[in-house]
Amino acid sequence: MGRMKQIDVKRTLALTGTFSFLCSCSQACLLPFLTLYFRQLGLSPSMTGIIMGTKHSITLVWSPAAGLLSKRYNKRRVVINCSLVFSAAAALLLLLLPPVGNPGAQSSTCNTSNLSSGSAKSLIDLTTSTTSQTLPTSTHREFADATSPSNSVSYSEPVPVPTKPNQNDAENSEIQPSKVDSSAVPSSSPTVLSVVHSTVSSLVSAERNKRSVNSSGFLASLKEMEIQNQLFFLMLIIVSVWEWMSAPLEWTVDDGLYEYLDYADASDRHSSTEVWGLLGGAFGVGGAGLVVGQLSCLIVAHTSRSAVHFYFYAGLAALALPVAVYLPLYLNKKRDRANGLLKAIQLVHSSPQALLCAFTILLVGVVNSAVENFLLWQMEDNGSTEVHMGLSLALALLSQAAFPLLAGRVSKLLSPGRVLVVGAASLGIQCFYYSFLWGPWMALPAQVLSTFSSGALWWAVGIQCEDVATPGAERSVRRVYSSLCLHLGSALGSFTGGFVVQRFGVAWLYRGVAVGLMAWCVCLPLLQWKAPRQRRINYSRLLAADASEASDSESEPERDWLDKAMEDDRGNNNYERRVGHLN
């Protein structure tokens, strides 16, 4: 009891929830919009897929390795603080890269109406003032009429020109601006259109020269490459460094907090951090979408409004630093997480039901990569702005967080295996729906299905973890699904999905992954029925229930059943050891 008085569980849970909320909010402000930023810079879908696939691959390998090293050298707090600081700094480096090509034409959120009212108007004013110094006074009025904002697209008033008497009446009456002859203006001055063309060309050349100066240094050393390839390799390097900095954060914090609560015999309350993480993600992605969507295309000179996502990410990471200082972390040297993860892989491999669940999560990771990487591209092509995108993604996270309210009723209607099938099928239906978007808000109804495609799916995975895991290995088995299988599938899906979008388009990518996942959902119940079901006895829960519910009048056959089950399990373990020794 003395140990329990030294630990304030409520304060620990409050700090844990706050930190999880801030970190998830920080990541949600940027990560969902990251591939959209790549598109605005001018990267192709295949390049985007390679970058995101590399990002998932680094997380797959580096997260468990960094967690093990931080525990071995007792540097968890240092790793957490450094991860917050350096990941924010690495993300801001992406803002230094200049766009290539004409990214404004790829973004429907900054359409031509905004450009005509802003930068195009300044261009017209500049050309008017420049030409007024070279044209004669008699042509000032005609040029001003031709270059006014109302006539910037087509000329509505004809320009009278001297013609010969024997020409056609239709040709004598008026002439289109595209057919203006050099005789229409004095020979001593250039024509109106030639002056406009030369002025615009000089402006474009100046802009290109400015970009070439900004792209000096490393890009200048790669003269043989195209500018798009240069940008791609720079982006790949920066994102890789960024992921190396941010990947250890979640794993390290989760280990330290869980071991601290486990020391206080309150590890069952550690799951509340997941709910706070989902709420923080919903607040971050929805808030960032609303704020950025209300801004103009350029918030400062040569700074697009997409940069606000990066500033939000860095600012919220800075707010999480003071909370990280007071996080209660505990180091349990008796538990080896590396051996625990290897043992969890062996447990999953030895159970046919667990293998089916692992392969399902692998496919879910492939499909999730398609949604995460290219859903905003599909929404943008159908007229959605950051407001539509942010609110749609926020609704998906809130729907996922609401599933615990339905878990009791779902468990009475469906077994965990059937819930796994329903969750995967719901994700397939979502993807098939995304391929037929036709308006800005049309993605919103499908996000409600995230209650099953994410919430119910991971609830079923948690039940599977309890069935296959030995006492104390539940979290390690869950990490096999949530970290290894999921990130492996996301990496594979990102690499292949980018090339599919490059060749066939986003809509066909969603139709393909939807058909593949639905085909697996048809086969999965049959495979689950044929696979033998092995459920291990969780002695800690069984003994806890026996201590709380048992009475003096408990029948002896029930006690005999418990003893017999324990003896059978010990006999099976001894048999496995003998077989392993003989092999």
Side-chain angles (χ1 to χ4, degrees):
M1 295 299 294
R3 182 180 69 176
M4 295 295 295
K5 292 181 180 179
Q6 298 176 0
I7 296 178
D8 190 351
V9 177
K10 292 184 179 180
R11 178 178 177 272
T12 300
L13 293 175
L15 288 172
T16 302
T18 303
F19 184 80
S20 179
F21 183 90
L22 290 175
C23 288
S24 299
C25 186
S26 173
Q27 295 173 1
C29 287
L30 175 59
L31 295 184
F33 303 94
L34 188 60
T35 56
L36 189 64
Y37 181 72
F38 294 162
R39 189 188 200 189
Q40 294 172 0
L41 287 181
L43 295 183
S44 64
S46 58
M47 293 178 177
T48 301
I50 292 174
I51 293 175
M52 298 305 294
T54 304
K55 181 177 180 295
H56 287 293
S57 300
I58 293 174
T59 305
L60 174 67
V61 176
W62 179 233
S63 290
L68 175 63
L69 292 175
S70 63
K71 177 180 180 178
R72 180 176 181 180
Y73 296 101
N74 195 15
K75 298 295 182 181
R76 282 178 175 169
R77 198 174 299 278
V78 175
V79 169
I80 293 172
N81 295 331
C82 292
S83 180
L84 288 172
V85 174
F86 291 115
S87 62
L92 293 177
L93 289 177
L94 295 176
L95 296 177
L96 302 179
L97 301 181
V100 296
N102 186 16
Q106 299 175 351
S107 177
S108 64
T109 56
C110 292
N111 50 31
T112 55
S113 62
N114 292 333
L115 294 175
S116 62
S117 61
S119 58
K121 185 176 184 300
S122 62
L123 177 61
I124 292 173
D125 296 337
L126 179 60
T127 55
T128 305
S129 61
T130 304
T131 314
S132 64
Q133 300 176 2
T134 59
L135 292 177
T137 308
S138 60
T139 60
H140 285 175
R141 182 178 59 82
E142 288 83 356
F143 180 76
D145 294 337
T147 58
S148 62
S150 61
N151 298 323
S152 59
V153 178
S154 63
Y155 299 100
S156 59
E157 296 182 2
V159 180
V161 293
T163 57
K164 295 180 181 180
N166 59 352
Q167 287 183 333
N168 195 353
D169 294 338
E171 295 178 356
N172 293 337
S173 60
E174 59 184 30
I175 186 171
Q176 297 297 326
S178 60
K179 299 181 180 180
V180 175
D181 189 71
S182 59
S183 62
V185 293
S187 59
S188 60
S189 62
T191 63
V192 173
L193 294 179
S194 63
V195 171
V196 174
H197 182 270
S198 61
T199 305
V200 174
S201 300
S202 62
L203 291 174
V204 173
S205 300
E207 182 66 20
R208 289 179 178 176
N209 294 332
K210 184 176 180 180
R211 288 183 179 179
S212 63
V213 172
N214 294 334
S215 304
S216 61
F218 180 74
L219 293 180
S221 65
L222 304 175
K223 294 181 180 179
E224 297 182 356
M225 288 187 179
E226 296 181 356
I227 185 64
Q228 189 181 31
N229 294 332
Q230 295 174 358
L231 178 63
F232 163 68
F233 282 108
L234 269 179
M235 188 72 68
L236 182 63
I237 293 172
I238 296 177
V239 170
S240 299
V241 174
W242 177 18
E243 192 62 24
W244 276 93
M245 296 294 103
S246 61
L249 179 63
E250 182 178 358
W251 194 290
T252 306
V253 172
D254 187 70
D255 277 345
L257 292 175
Y258 180 82
E259 291 181 4
Y260 183 87
L261 292 173
D262 187 46
Y263 181 77
D265 297 330
S267 58
D268 56 332
R269 304 174 68 178
H270 181 260
S271 59
S272 61
T273 58
E274 298 180 3
V275 178
W276 285 108
L278 292 173
L279 294 178
F283 181 81
V285 70
L290 287 174
V291 173
V292 176
Q294 301 300 322
L295 300 175
S296 60
C297 294
L298 294 176
I299 53 176
V300 188
H302 307 293
T303 302
S304 65
R305 64 182 183 183
S306 298
V308 177
H309 293 289
F310 294 86
Y311 297 145
F312 280 164
Y313 176 83
L316 290 171
L319 288 178
L321 270 175
V323 183
V325 174
Y326 295 100
L327 279 179
L329 304 177
Y330 179 73
L331 180 62
N332 188 356
K333 297 182 179 180
K334 295 181 180 180
R335 290 190 177 184
D336 192 345
R337 291 298 175 190
N339 294 335
L341 191 60
L342 293 176
K343 183 179 179 181
I345 296 176
Q346 294 175 356
L347 291 173
V348 173
H349 183 266
S350 62
S351 174
Q353 293 284 347
L355 281 178
L356 291 176
C357 183
F359 188 75
T360 303
I361 298 302
L362 183 69
L363 292 180
V364 168
V366 173
V367 179
N368 279 340
S369 67
V371 176
E372 294 171 358
N373 296 343
F374 300 109
L375 176 58
L376 299 191
W377 291 35
Q378 180 77 341
M379 295 180 66
E380 186 182 51
D381 292 339
N382 289 276
S384 298
T385 63
E386 281 87 352
V387 177
H388 306 95
M389 300 171 186
L391 293 180
S392 297
L393 297 178
L395 179 60
L397 292 173
L398 291 176
S399 300
Q400 181 180 351
F403 178 77
L405 302 176
L406 306 175
R409 295 183 178 180
V410 173
S411 61
K412 295 179 180 179
L413 298 176
L414 299 173
S415 63
R418 297 295 182 268
V419 174
L420 184 68
V421 176
V422 171
S426 300
L427 182 59
I429 294 173
Q430 279 183 301
C431 289
F432 193 73
Y433 179 88
Y434 293 150
S435 65
F436 295 100
L437 296 182
W438 65 92
W441 290 104
M442 289 302 103
L444 201 63
Q447 306 295 33
V448 181
L449 290 177
S450 297
T451 304
F452 295 97
S453 63
S454 294
L457 181 74
W458 289 108
W459 176 84
V461 171
I463 300 298
Q464 178 64 51
C465 295
E466 295 178 359
D467 291 348
V468 73
T470 57
E474 291 87 353
R475 290 181 67 250
S476 298
V477 173
R478 186 178 179 87
R479 278 181 170 174
V480 172
Y481 296 114
S482 62
S483 295
L484 302 185
C485 294
L486 185 64
H487 284 294
L488 179 60
S490 298
L492 296 176
S494 296
F495 286 128
T496 58
F499 291 100
V500 172
V501 174
Q502 184 84 24
R503 184 171 180 83
F504 302 103
V506 180
W508 284 107
L509 171 66
Y510 284 137
R511 292 166 191 167
V513 296
V515 170
L517 191 58
M518 294 300 292
W520 172 250
C521 291
V522 173
C523 301
L524 183 57
L526 180 62
L527 296 175
Q528 288 176 340
W529 177 67
K530 288 188 175 182
R533 184 175 182 85
Q534 300 174 355
R535 181 168 184 173
R536 298 179 181 273
I537 299 175
N538 194 326
Y539 295 110
S540 59
R541 292 190 176 183
L542 194 60
L543 293 175
D546 182 73
S548 60
E549 299 177 0
S551 60
D552 295 337
S553 61
E554 185 177 11
S555 61
E556 290 297 330
E558 293 181 355
R559 294 181 181 273
D560 294 339
W561 174 85
L562 176 59
D563 295 337
K564 185 177 183 302
M566 296 176 66
E567 291 176 359
D568 292 341
D569 190 67
R570 285 196 296 269
N572 292 333
N573 293 335
N574 293 333
Y575 174 76
E576 293 176 359
R577 294 193 190 99
R578 289 196 299 270
V579 172
H581 179 71
L582 292 176
N583 293 334

